[in-house]
Short mmCIF file of all heavy atoms in Angstrom, two decimals:
data_model
loop_
_atom_site.label_atom_id
_atom_site.label_comp_id
_atom_site.label_asym_id
_atom_site.label_seq_id
_atom_site.Cartn_x
_atom_site.Cartn_y
_atom_site.Cartn_z
N ASP I 459 -6.16 -9.13 10.52
CA ASP I 459 -6.35 -8.95 9.08
C ASP I 459 -5.90 -7.59 8.58
O ASP I 459 -6.71 -6.72 8.33
CB ASP I 459 -7.83 -9.15 8.72
CG ASP I 459 -8.21 -10.60 8.73
OD1 ASP I 459 -7.31 -11.43 8.67
OD2 ASP I 459 -9.41 -10.89 8.77
N PRO I 460 -4.58 -7.40 8.37
CA PRO I 460 -4.13 -6.10 7.86
C PRO I 460 -4.45 -5.88 6.39
O PRO I 460 -4.18 -4.83 5.86
CB PRO I 460 -2.62 -6.15 8.08
CG PRO I 460 -2.27 -7.59 8.03
CD PRO I 460 -3.45 -8.31 8.63
N TYR I 461 -5.02 -6.86 5.71
CA TYR I 461 -5.29 -6.72 4.28
C TYR I 461 -6.68 -6.19 4.00
O TYR I 461 -7.01 -5.91 2.87
CB TYR I 461 -5.16 -8.08 3.58
CG TYR I 461 -3.74 -8.54 3.43
CD1 TYR I 461 -3.12 -9.29 4.41
CD2 TYR I 461 -3.02 -8.23 2.29
CE1 TYR I 461 -1.82 -9.71 4.27
CE2 TYR I 461 -1.71 -8.65 2.14
CZ TYR I 461 -1.12 -9.40 3.14
OH TYR I 461 0.17 -9.81 2.99
N THR I 462 -7.53 -6.10 5.02
CA THR I 462 -8.94 -5.87 4.72
C THR I 462 -9.34 -4.41 4.74
O THR I 462 -10.51 -4.10 4.73
CB THR I 462 -9.82 -6.64 5.72
OG1 THR I 462 -9.45 -6.25 7.04
CG2 THR I 462 -9.65 -8.13 5.55
N SER I 463 -8.40 -3.49 4.76
CA SER I 463 -8.76 -2.08 4.79
C SER I 463 -9.15 -1.59 3.42
O SER I 463 -8.61 -2.02 2.41
CB SER I 463 -7.58 -1.26 5.29
OG SER I 463 -7.23 -1.65 6.58
N ALA I 464 -10.07 -0.64 3.39
CA ALA I 464 -10.50 -0.05 2.13
C ALA I 464 -9.45 0.95 1.66
O ALA I 464 -8.69 1.49 2.46
CB ALA I 464 -11.83 0.66 2.34
N PRO I 465 -9.38 1.19 0.33
CA PRO I 465 -8.43 2.21 -0.16
C PRO I 465 -8.73 3.57 0.45
O PRO I 465 -9.86 3.88 0.82
CB PRO I 465 -8.70 2.21 -1.68
CG PRO I 465 -9.32 0.91 -1.97
CD PRO I 465 -10.10 0.54 -0.76
N PHE I 466 -7.71 4.38 0.53
CA PHE I 466 -7.81 5.70 1.13
C PHE I 466 -8.57 6.64 0.21
O PHE I 466 -8.32 6.69 -0.99
CB PHE I 466 -6.39 6.22 1.38
CG PHE I 466 -6.34 7.59 2.00
CD1 PHE I 466 -6.61 7.76 3.34
CD2 PHE I 466 -5.98 8.70 1.24
CE1 PHE I 466 -6.54 9.01 3.93
CE2 PHE I 466 -5.91 9.95 1.81
CZ PHE I 466 -6.19 10.11 3.16
N ASP I 467 -9.51 7.38 0.78
CA ASP I 467 -10.22 8.41 0.03
C ASP I 467 -9.56 9.76 0.29
O ASP I 467 -9.40 10.16 1.44
CB ASP I 467 -11.69 8.49 0.49
CG ASP I 467 -12.51 7.31 0.03
OD1 ASP I 467 -11.98 6.50 -0.78
OD2 ASP I 467 -13.67 7.18 0.46
N CYS I 468 -9.19 10.46 -0.77
CA CYS I 468 -8.54 11.77 -0.61
C CYS I 468 -9.61 12.84 -0.39
O CYS I 468 -9.76 13.77 -1.20
CB CYS I 468 -7.69 12.11 -1.83
SG CYS I 468 -6.41 10.90 -2.20
N ILE I 469 -10.36 12.70 0.68
CA ILE I 469 -11.50 13.60 0.87
C ILE I 469 -11.07 15.03 1.15
O ILE I 469 -11.85 15.96 0.99
CB ILE I 469 -12.43 13.09 1.98
CG1 ILE I 469 -11.69 12.98 3.31
CG2 ILE I 469 -13.04 11.75 1.59
CD1 ILE I 469 -12.62 12.66 4.48
N ASP I 470 -9.83 15.21 1.60
CA ASP I 470 -9.35 16.57 1.89
C ASP I 470 -8.51 17.14 0.77
O ASP I 470 -7.83 18.15 0.96
CB ASP I 470 -8.52 16.55 3.19
CG ASP I 470 -9.36 16.17 4.40
OD1 ASP I 470 -10.53 16.58 4.44
OD2 ASP I 470 -8.85 15.44 5.28
N SER I 471 -8.50 16.48 -0.38
CA SER I 471 -7.67 16.98 -1.47
C SER I 471 -8.11 18.38 -1.88
O SER I 471 -9.31 18.65 -2.03
CB SER I 471 -7.78 16.05 -2.68
OG SER I 471 -7.14 16.65 -3.81
N PRO I 472 -7.14 19.26 -2.12
CA PRO I 472 -7.50 20.61 -2.58
C PRO I 472 -8.06 20.61 -4.00
O PRO I 472 -8.57 21.64 -4.46
CB PRO I 472 -6.15 21.35 -2.52
CG PRO I 472 -5.12 20.29 -2.64
CD PRO I 472 -5.69 19.09 -1.96
N LEU I 473 -7.98 19.48 -4.68
CA LEU I 473 -8.47 19.40 -6.05
C LEU I 473 -9.95 19.03 -6.13
O LEU I 473 -10.55 19.08 -7.21
CB LEU I 473 -7.66 18.36 -6.84
CG LEU I 473 -6.14 18.54 -6.84
CD1 LEU I 473 -5.48 17.46 -7.70
CD2 LEU I 473 -5.74 19.92 -7.29
N ASN I 474 -10.51 18.62 -5.01
CA ASN I 474 -11.91 18.18 -5.02
C ASN I 474 -12.85 19.35 -5.21
O ASN I 474 -12.65 20.43 -4.63
CB ASN I 474 -12.26 17.48 -3.71
CG ASN I 474 -11.54 16.17 -3.53
OD1 ASN I 474 -10.98 15.62 -4.49
ND2 ASN I 474 -11.54 15.66 -2.32
N ALA I 475 -13.90 19.12 -6.01
CA ALA I 475 -14.95 20.12 -6.12
C ALA I 475 -15.73 20.16 -4.81
O ALA I 475 -15.85 19.15 -4.11
CB ALA I 475 -15.89 19.75 -7.27
N THR I 476 -16.20 21.33 -4.48
CA THR I 476 -16.99 21.46 -3.26
C THR I 476 -18.34 20.80 -3.45
O THR I 476 -19.02 21.02 -4.45
CB THR I 476 -17.20 22.95 -2.93
OG1 THR I 476 -15.91 23.56 -2.80
CG2 THR I 476 -17.97 23.11 -1.62
N GLN I 477 -18.70 19.94 -2.50
CA GLN I 477 -19.99 19.26 -2.57
C GLN I 477 -21.06 20.16 -1.99
O GLN I 477 -20.99 20.54 -0.83
CB GLN I 477 -19.91 17.94 -1.77
CG GLN I 477 -21.13 17.07 -1.90
CD GLN I 477 -21.09 16.20 -3.15
OE1 GLN I 477 -20.16 15.43 -3.35
NE2 GLN I 477 -22.08 16.34 -4.00
N GLN I 478 -22.01 20.50 -2.80
CA GLN I 478 -23.09 21.34 -2.31
C GLN I 478 -24.03 20.51 -1.44
O GLN I 478 -24.27 19.34 -1.71
CB GLN I 478 -23.88 21.93 -3.48
CG GLN I 478 -23.06 22.82 -4.40
CD GLN I 478 -22.52 24.03 -3.68
OE1 GLN I 478 -23.15 24.59 -2.79
NE2 GLN I 478 -21.31 24.46 -4.06
N ALA I 479 -24.56 21.15 -0.40
CA ALA I 479 -25.46 20.43 0.50
C ALA I 479 -26.71 19.97 -0.22
O ALA I 479 -27.34 18.97 0.14
CB ALA I 479 -25.83 21.33 1.68
N THR I 480 -27.08 20.69 -1.29
CA THR I 480 -28.29 20.33 -2.02
C THR I 480 -28.08 19.11 -2.90
O THR I 480 -29.04 18.51 -3.38
CB THR I 480 -28.75 21.49 -2.90
OG1 THR I 480 -27.63 21.92 -3.71
CG2 THR I 480 -29.22 22.66 -2.03
N GLU I 481 -26.84 18.75 -3.15
CA GLU I 481 -26.57 17.57 -3.96
C GLU I 481 -26.67 16.36 -3.03
O GLU I 481 -25.75 16.04 -2.31
CB GLU I 481 -25.17 17.66 -4.58
CG GLU I 481 -24.94 18.91 -5.43
CD GLU I 481 -25.48 18.76 -6.85
OE1 GLU I 481 -26.29 17.85 -7.09
OE2 GLU I 481 -25.08 19.56 -7.70
N ASP I 482 -27.78 15.69 -3.06
CA ASP I 482 -28.07 14.65 -2.08
C ASP I 482 -27.44 13.32 -2.48
O ASP I 482 -28.10 12.42 -2.97
CB ASP I 482 -29.58 14.49 -1.89
CG ASP I 482 -30.26 14.17 -3.23
OD1 ASP I 482 -29.71 14.53 -4.28
OD2 ASP I 482 -31.33 13.56 -3.20
N PHE I 483 -26.12 13.22 -2.25
CA PHE I 483 -25.42 11.98 -2.51
C PHE I 483 -25.12 11.27 -1.20
O PHE I 483 -24.92 11.90 -0.16
CB PHE I 483 -24.08 12.26 -3.21
CG PHE I 483 -24.20 12.56 -4.67
CD1 PHE I 483 -24.17 13.87 -5.12
CD2 PHE I 483 -24.30 11.53 -5.60
CE1 PHE I 483 -24.25 14.16 -6.47
CE2 PHE I 483 -24.38 11.81 -6.95
CZ PHE I 483 -24.36 13.12 -7.39
N GLY I 484 -25.02 9.96 -1.27
CA GLY I 484 -24.57 9.19 -0.12
C GLY I 484 -23.06 9.33 0.02
O GLY I 484 -22.38 9.92 -0.81
N PRO I 485 -22.49 8.79 1.11
CA PRO I 485 -21.06 8.96 1.38
C PRO I 485 -20.17 8.18 0.42
O PRO I 485 -19.00 8.52 0.25
CB PRO I 485 -20.90 8.43 2.81
CG PRO I 485 -22.04 7.49 3.00
CD PRO I 485 -23.17 8.03 2.17
N ARG I 486 -20.71 7.15 -0.20
CA ARG I 486 -19.88 6.34 -1.09
C ARG I 486 -19.55 7.12 -2.35
O ARG I 486 -20.35 7.91 -2.84
CB ARG I 486 -20.65 5.07 -1.45
CG ARG I 486 -19.81 4.03 -2.12
CD ARG I 486 -20.56 2.73 -2.25
NE ARG I 486 -19.66 1.69 -2.69
CZ ARG I 486 -19.96 0.42 -2.71
NH1 ARG I 486 -21.16 0.02 -2.29
NH2 ARG I 486 -19.10 -0.47 -3.13
N CYS I 487 -18.34 6.89 -2.89
CA CYS I 487 -17.95 7.49 -4.16
C CYS I 487 -17.93 9.02 -4.07
O CYS I 487 -18.28 9.71 -5.02
CB CYS I 487 -18.90 7.04 -5.27
SG CYS I 487 -18.08 6.86 -6.88
N ARG I 488 -17.54 9.53 -2.94
CA ARG I 488 -17.48 10.98 -2.74
C ARG I 488 -16.23 11.55 -3.40
O ARG I 488 -15.31 10.80 -3.75
CB ARG I 488 -17.46 11.27 -1.24
CG ARG I 488 -16.40 10.47 -0.52
CD ARG I 488 -16.52 10.58 0.98
NE ARG I 488 -15.60 9.66 1.63
CZ ARG I 488 -15.30 9.68 2.92
NH1 ARG I 488 -15.86 10.58 3.71
NH2 ARG I 488 -14.45 8.81 3.44
N PRO I 489 -16.15 12.87 -3.56
CA PRO I 489 -14.93 13.47 -4.14
C PRO I 489 -13.68 13.03 -3.40
O PRO I 489 -13.63 13.04 -2.17
CB PRO I 489 -15.19 14.97 -3.98
CG PRO I 489 -16.66 15.10 -4.06
CD PRO I 489 -17.20 13.87 -3.36
N GLY I 490 -12.69 12.60 -4.15
CA GLY I 490 -11.45 12.08 -3.60
C GLY I 490 -11.40 10.57 -3.56
O GLY I 490 -10.31 9.99 -3.43
N ALA I 491 -12.54 9.90 -3.68
CA ALA I 491 -12.57 8.44 -3.63
C ALA I 491 -12.25 7.86 -5.01
O ALA I 491 -12.41 8.51 -6.04
CB ALA I 491 -13.94 7.96 -3.17
N LEU I 492 -11.83 6.61 -5.00
CA LEU I 492 -11.65 5.89 -6.25
C LEU I 492 -13.03 5.52 -6.78
O LEU I 492 -13.90 5.10 -6.02
CB LEU I 492 -10.85 4.62 -6.02
CG LEU I 492 -9.36 4.79 -5.77
CD1 LEU I 492 -8.76 3.47 -5.29
CD2 LEU I 492 -8.65 5.26 -7.02
#
Side-chain angles (χ1 to χ4, degrees):
Chain I
D459 284 342
Y461 286 89
T462 55
S463 300
F466 180 76
D467 288 352
C468 302
I469 60 172
D470 296 323
S471 171
L473 306 182
N474 293 345
T476 302
Q477 187 83 57
Q478 298 298 326
T480 52
E481 303 277 17
D482 57 335
F483 282 99
R486 191 171 190 170
C487 214
R488 51 190 173 168
L492 286 169

